Amino acid sequence: MLDVQNIRKDFPILNRTVNGKPLIYFDNAATSQTPQQVIDVIVDYYTNYNANIHRGVHSLSQEATDAYEQARVKIQKHFNAKHSHEIIYTSGTTHGINLVANGFSSLLKKGDEIIVSALEHHSNIVPWQMLCERTGASLKVIPMNENGELILSEFDALLNDNTKLVFVNHISNALGTINPIEYIIEKAHQFGAAVLVDGAQSCPHIKPDVQALDVDFYVCSAHKLCGPTGVGTLYGKEAWLNKLPPYQGGGEMIAEVSFEKTTYAALPHKFEAGTPNICGGIAFGAAIDYMNNIGFDNIAQYEHDLLEYGTEQLLKIEGVKIYGTAKEKTSVISFNVGNIHPYDIGTILDKMGIAVRTGHHCAQPIMDFYNIPGTVRASFMFYNTKAEIDSFISALKKAIMMLS
Amino acid sequence: MTIEEVQNEIIDEFSMFEDWEERYQYMIDLGKDLPLIDEKYKTEDNIIKGCQSKVWVHANMNDDKVNFTADSDAIITKGIIAILIRVFSDQHPKDIIEANTDFIDKIGLKEHLSPTRANGLVSMIKQLKMYAIAYQTQLN
């Protein structure tokens, strides 16, 4: 079991007030809060061993290098990757996706096909459109049903020998739907297509086993799972990472340079040009430790309770419509109340210290599907409580009263 | 009334409110009373970019004075526009261009002034002033 009152003590920000009211933070799908244990690691790094890594002979550089590489091993173990060099540090999910999309531009040709899902974040659609423009490949979309679930029979029909890459998020940021990536990976592999999974929304809730999934690429951001912003990871199977050309040129990613020819460094450094976010990488490792100490099974169980409770309380309010009612979903509730604009609700809730997301959640195609301008999105983490949901519900009722 | 006089009148009205709730309730009511823009002007061209909610503004000039009508799909945004229109409508373009907007701070809506704020109050003011500049050019 998870002791939420003790856990809350780890998060200093949860003690602050907003507009004179205790903060209730329900915007976790946008970014999670940071526990003291991770903040301490960041402070310790800059206080005691800040140095550039991999090339210094001095002690500080060695300490920083060790900590950074140890964090890579933590990430490797967390995802159960076969090798630590299959873990590439990135600046976040978007960077990881662009790295793969860019790499594929030298592997694709006219007539090839890329499949993406209708549940994608904007950042996930644009790189593929750009890739298609560059290579002459075409983009196919797996449609979704009214519940916000992907229609798998349509996916089956899209697959063929021209399919080179399938891209899907593990969990939808706008609706919380957990996608059946096991099925998608297996089917795509039958046609020899590679699969890239966006784990930005799943990593705070699920511990993915990349070997068991047999996924080719998996990306995520540290700040969604209690780590700092500006750092993330791309897992790629060794064979695929060797096949892709480097993304950026610079220091770190080279073995030998002359004006005639440069040979690239081995994995993972081939994809890590320049001085990386050293402190961020180390803190990412600390965040993974923190989450694993609580335990992902405990987290999943607790958040599922919050989701059920929140959904039940919300549906008691007249006029509430929840978008995304997939059987498999995480602790995200996207909703509207009657004809009230989500922006109005978000503004009034903020006056009462409650942070939610409003708008299209960078998933315009999903909003178009439901023919709405956007939704209010409340997303919970393991440090949220039922008491907070109660406060949120009464604040919401007040907002509705003011706005009707 | 001059722009400054209208602004002072609004500051007086808001000074009666004791908390955010009364302030916002008033803005919501203002939004409900806002004279709606003619449907034919609710076009893509008249949408102000940079707002999470949709905002349409239309302007015309009569007797050297500019008049605005507007609408939004969000009621608080509508309330904010209603205040802006009350300040800037029926004024000479030159006065609109030169007007400062410090009164927004004084009525407790400073939080909406941040340029990154999703309702785009800054974009709205900019748009109203752009219209004034366009009409001023016609007058010159």
Side-chain angles (χ1 to χ4, degrees):
Chain A
M1 261 314 276
L2 178 154
D3 180 357
V4 69
Q5 289 314 326
N6 251 330
I7 284 172
R8 287 178 69 83
K9 290 181 195 151
D10 293 337
F11 293 83
I13 207 168
L14 298 178
N15 292 320
R16 69 160 283 182
T17 56
V18 168
N19 291 318
K21 304 278 170 26
L23 165 69
I24 294 180
Y25 187 76
F26 283 173
D27 194 19
N28 293 291
T31 201
S32 57
Q33 293 303 341
T34 318
Q36 192 63 49
Q37 289 85 335
V38 174
I39 298 171
D40 287 346
V41 167
I42 295 168
V43 172
D44 182 43
Y45 172 79
Y46 283 112
T47 311
N48 293 310
Y49 61 101
N50 176 31
N52 210 333
I53 53 170
H54 290 149
R55 49 203 140 195
V57 292
H58 58 82
S59 300
L60 284 193
S61 173
Q62 201 52 57
E63 280 176 38
T65 305
D66 288 349
Y68 189 68
E69 290 307 322
Q70 277 161 16
R72 192 193 303 272
V73 173
K74 282 178 189 174
I75 300 167
Q76 174 210 347
K77 292 198 169 133
H78 178 74
F79 288 101
N80 192 32
K82 200 166 173 187
H83 308 289
S84 66
H85 59 252
E86 292 175 320
I87 298 296
I88 311 295
Y89 279 119
T90 63
S91 66
T93 304
T94 301
H95 177 200
I97 292 167
N98 277 284
L99 195 158
V100 176
N102 190 70
F104 266 82
S105 64
S106 62
L107 304 178
L108 294 182
K109 56 181 192 312
K110 201 170 183 316
D112 286 342
E113 295 176 3
I114 299 169
I115 299 178
V116 300
S117 90
L119 284 166
E120 298 308 324
H121 188 279
H122 288 169
S123 69
N124 297 354
I125 301 168
V126 180
W128 308 115
Q129 286 172 334
M130 288 165 62
L131 175 59
C132 287
E133 274 170 26
R134 278 203 301 270
T135 60
S138 55
L139 198 63
K140 310 280 170 184
V141 180
I142 317 169
M144 65 182 231
N145 65 22
E146 189 68 26
N147 296 329
E149 295 162 322
L150 293 177
I151 304 171
L152 292 176
S153 56
E154 301 270 359
F155 168 62
D156 293 345
L158 287 175
L159 281 167
N160 63 63
D161 290 334
N162 296 323
T163 309
K164 292 294 178 288
L165 187 71
V166 177
F167 173 75
V168 63
N169 55 33
H170 197 164
I171 293 177
S172 151
N173 76 309
L175 305 177
T177 311
I178 303 177
N179 289 315
I181 57 166
E182 297 81 358
Y183 178 88
I184 290 169
I185 292 164
E186 198 192 323
K187 281 283 179 176
H189 283 172
Q190 287 172 13
F191 290 87
V195 179
L196 165 61
V197 172
D198 170 2
Q201 292 297 328
S202 49
C203 283
H205 312 289
I206 294 171
K207 186 172 176 165
D209 180 332
V210 292
Q211 288 191 74
L213 286 168
D214 196 26
V215 65
D216 303 290
F217 303 98
Y218 197 96
V219 287
C220 77
S221 301
H223 72 96
K224 306 276 191 193
L225 60 152
C226 300
T229 55
V231 66
T233 192
L234 157 68
Y235 158 79
K237 278 182 189 164
E238 184 182 38
W240 272 115
L241 290 177
N242 280 328
K243 222 180 275 182
L244 298 188
Y247 180 41
Q248 290 173 312
E252 296 260 9
M253 51 76 74
I254 36 150
E256 283 177 64
V257 181
S258 70
F259 282 105
E260 289 73 38
K261 187 178 165 56
T262 293
T263 49
Y264 301 123
L267 292 173
H269 307 293
K270 171 180 154 188
F271 293 109
E272 294 180 354
T275 298
N277 184 348
I278 302 164
C279 178
I282 297 168
F284 187 5
I288 281 178
D289 283 345
Y290 180 83
M291 300 280 290
N292 279 306
N293 275 338
I294 294 172
F296 277 83
D297 289 344
N298 291 331
I299 289 173
Q301 172 74 47
Y302 181 82
E303 290 176 344
H304 183 73
D305 284 353
L306 286 182
L307 173 67
E308 287 209 324
Y309 183 71
T311 305
E312 194 184 294
Q313 296 303 313
L314 258 181
L315 286 175
K316 282 186 191 162
I317 299 177
E318 206 190 312
V320 165
K321 177 164 169 51
I322 293 178
Y323 297 92
T325 46
K327 275 189 220 84
E328 298 291 329
K329 68 177 273 191
T330 45
S331 47
V332 169
I333 310 180
S334 228
F335 67 96
N336 277 327
V337 188
N339 291 323
I340 303 176
H341 199 282
Y343 168 78
D344 287 327
I345 291 178
T347 303
I348 300 290
L349 289 179
D350 175 59
K351 299 307 289 182
M352 293 185 267
I354 299 169
V356 292
R357 199 67 157 188
T358 65
H360 51 58
H361 318 296
C362 302
Q364 197 86 57
I366 299 179
M367 301 302 132
D368 291 346
F369 176 87
Y370 289 116
N371 196 22
I372 48 176
T375 66
V376 181
R377 184 187 69 186
S379 50
F380 314 125
M381 283 281 273
F382 56 87
Y383 44 70
N384 292 125
T385 65
K386 287 185 183 173
E388 286 182 313
I389 292 178
D390 290 339
S391 304
F392 158 70
I393 293 289
S394 43
L396 179 63
K397 285 180 181 162
K398 187 168 178 174
I400 295 168
M401 212 172 65
M402 287 178 74
L403 292 164
S404 305
Chain B
M1 275 202 284
T2 65
I3 288 182
E4 207 181 333
E5 282 164 354
V6 181
Q7 289 184 349
N8 285 333
E9 197 179 74
I10 294 171
I11 294 168
D12 273 353
E13 285 166 19
F14 271 80
S15 69
M16 295 184 302
F17 304 133
E18 290 188 344
D19 55 17
W20 71 269
E21 228 176 300
E22 289 180 352
R23 264 200 325 272
Y24 273 78
Q25 194 62 63
Y26 184 63
M27 277 203 300
I28 291 164
D29 294 341
L30 284 177
K32 287 177 184 161
D33 293 342
L34 180 72
L36 287 183
I37 193 170
D38 199 317
E39 278 298 319
K40 71 178 177 203
Y41 295 125
K42 281 169 85 166
T43 58
E44 275 301 308
D45 284 350
N46 281 339
I47 289 184
I48 298 180
K49 303 275 187 286
C51 306
Q52 208 180 84
S53 46
K54 275 190 180 150
V55 177
W56 298 267
V57 173
H58 173 69
N60 63 356
M61 188 160 67
N62 265 328
D63 294 338
D64 294 354
K65 286 185 170 175
V66 187
N67 283 292
F68 297 103
T69 52
D71 198 2
S72 171
D73 55 353
I75 194 81
I76 294 173
T77 312
K78 245 169 117 168
I80 291 169
I81 309 169
I83 294 170
L84 291 181
I85 285 184
R86 191 168 139 203
V87 170
F88 291 120
S89 259
D90 201 26
Q91 299 289 347
H92 193 277
K94 189 168 174 288
D95 297 331
I96 298 172
I97 297 165
E98 287 169 2
N100 82 45
T101 47
D102 293 349
F103 78 103
I104 290 166
D105 194 357
K106 292 181 184 142
I107 60 176
L109 297 180
K110 193 185 177 185
E111 68 223 43
H112 293 283
L113 269 183
S114 148
T116 52
R117 182 88 195 178
N119 74 6
L121 177 53
V122 173
S123 318
M124 287 183 223
I125 294 173
K126 202 168 130 193
Q127 190 64 36
L128 299 186
K129 290 203 174 205
M130 290 291 275
Y131 275 116
I133 291 168
Y135 285 123
Q136 181 62 35
T137 320
Q138 283 181 21
L139 290 177
N140 286 343

